Amino acid sequence: MHDHSDNAVKVSAKRESASQSMLESVRLGLSLAQKELDPKYFYDARGSELFEEITRLAEYYPTRAERALLVSVMPDLIDELRPASLVELGAGSSSKTRVILDAMRATGEGRQYVPVDVSSDFLRESASRLRHEYPEMRIDPAVGDFSDTLDLPPLQHPALFAFLGSTIGNFREAAAVQILARIASRMRGNDAFILGVDLRKDPAVIEAAYNDRAGVTAEFNLNVLRVLNRELLSDFDLSAFTHRAFYDGDRHRIEMHLDSMSDQDVTIPGIGLVGVKKGESIRTELSYKYDRGTVDALFEKAGLCLERWLTGDDGVFGLALGSRRWGPR
Ligand code: SAH
Ligand code: AVI
C-alpha cells in the first residue's frame, strides 16, 4: 500500500514539475522576437497518432526511405554487432524498429529493448504490443525528455543505441551535440550507435513533405496549441492560425510556423496576456537536413567516431554508425 501511494505522490510531483517546465519554456519562447514553441509539445497521444499518419502520406518520403535502408543493411549489421540490447530515443510506435528487433531475434542474442519517449501513453501502449510480439525480449519503456536527461534502466551489453527518423534534425546544432554527447556518455566497451538522418535534396521534394495535400501536417502543427490549451489552460483559438512550412536552403532546414490570421490576445494563466499580431507567426519546428560532412562534424563534437556512412543508391536518407571515442582527439 505504502509503495502504491508513494508512487502516486512521485507521479504527481513529476507531472507538476513537467507542467512548470512547460510554462517556463512557453513563457520564454513567446517572449522572443520570433515567437517559438518547443516541438516536443506536439506529442501527446493525438500528436503521436498524427505523426504516424504523416509517415503514411505519399509526400512524406523520410519514413519509407529509412525503412528501406534499414531492411537492406540491418540484418548484416546486427549479425556483426550482436547487441544484447537496443535503446531507442524518440521511439514513437517503434514501427521501423521492428526491422532491428527481428534481426536481433535472428542472432538469438537480443534480450532487451528500451524505447525512450516523452509521449507517455503512446509509449506504454506501444510497449504492450511489443511484449506480445517479442515475448523473448525484456521491453523496458522509459518515459522521459532526452534533451534534459536520459534515465535508463540497467542495460545489457553490448548495447545498440538508436536515434532514427531524423528526429535529431529537430534540434539546432548545440542542442543536437548535447543529445549525442549524452548518448555517448552511456556507451560502454563496444556499444554502438546508429543515427538516421534525412539528406539534402531538391527543395521542392522536401517542401512537399511538410505541406501535404490532405492537411495532416497542418493538423499536427496546430496540435501544439491544443496541448498548450489543455496543459496550461490557455485559450489559443486554433481557427485563427494557419500552417506554413518552407525550406531555407542556406540553413538547410525546414521551418514550420503557425501564422496568426488576426490580431489576438491569448490568455495563458501564469504568464498573462500574450499579444499576437495579424501576420505574425509562432515557429513550431525546425527540421535540419544533412550530408555526410555535417553528421561527421556533429559526431566529432559529441565524442563519437563515424564508423560507417550508409545511404541507398537514391541518396534520400542516411544512416550513420558511430562508436564512442575513448582516447584523446
Ligand atoms: N522514431 C519514430 C518517431 C519519430 S517522431 C520514427 O522514426 O518514426 C519523434 C518522436 O520523438 C516522437 O515519438 C516524440 O514523442 C519523441 N520526442 C520528441 N521530442 C522528444 C524529447 N525531447 N524527449 C523524448 N522524446 C521526444
Ligand atoms: C520527428 N521529426 C523528425 C519530423 C520531421 O520531419 O521533422 C516531424 C514532422 N514535422 C512535420 N512533419 C513531420
Side-chain angles (χ1 to χ4, degrees), residues 151-172:
D151 277 335
L152 299 175
L155 298 179
Q156 313 231 20
H157 295 273
L160 173 62
F161 291 78
F163 196 14
L164 303 178
S166 207
T167 301
I168 191 73
N170 298 137
F171 297 87
R172 290 185 174 87

Side-chain angles (χ1 to χ4, degrees), residues 186-242:
R186 298 309 168 90
M187 292 169 74
R188 304 275 167 270
N190 51 352
D191 287 356
F193 172 52
I194 188 124
L195 177 72
V197 288
D198 191 14
L199 300 180
R200 297 173 185 176
K201 58 180 69 63
D202 179 356
V205 172
I206 302 179
E207 273 186 354
Y210 294 82
N211 289 287
D212 63 288
R213 275 163 300 166
V216 184
T217 309
E219 266 306 303
F220 174 75
N221 197 0
L222 283 166
N223 194 56
V224 72
L225 300 184
R226 214 176 257 119
V227 169
L228 262 47
N229 282 351
R230 188 188 59 235
E231 298 297 321
L232 301 179
L233 305 175
S234 54
D235 63 356
F236 283 96
D237 173 5
L238 272 64
S239 69
F241 288 91
T242 55

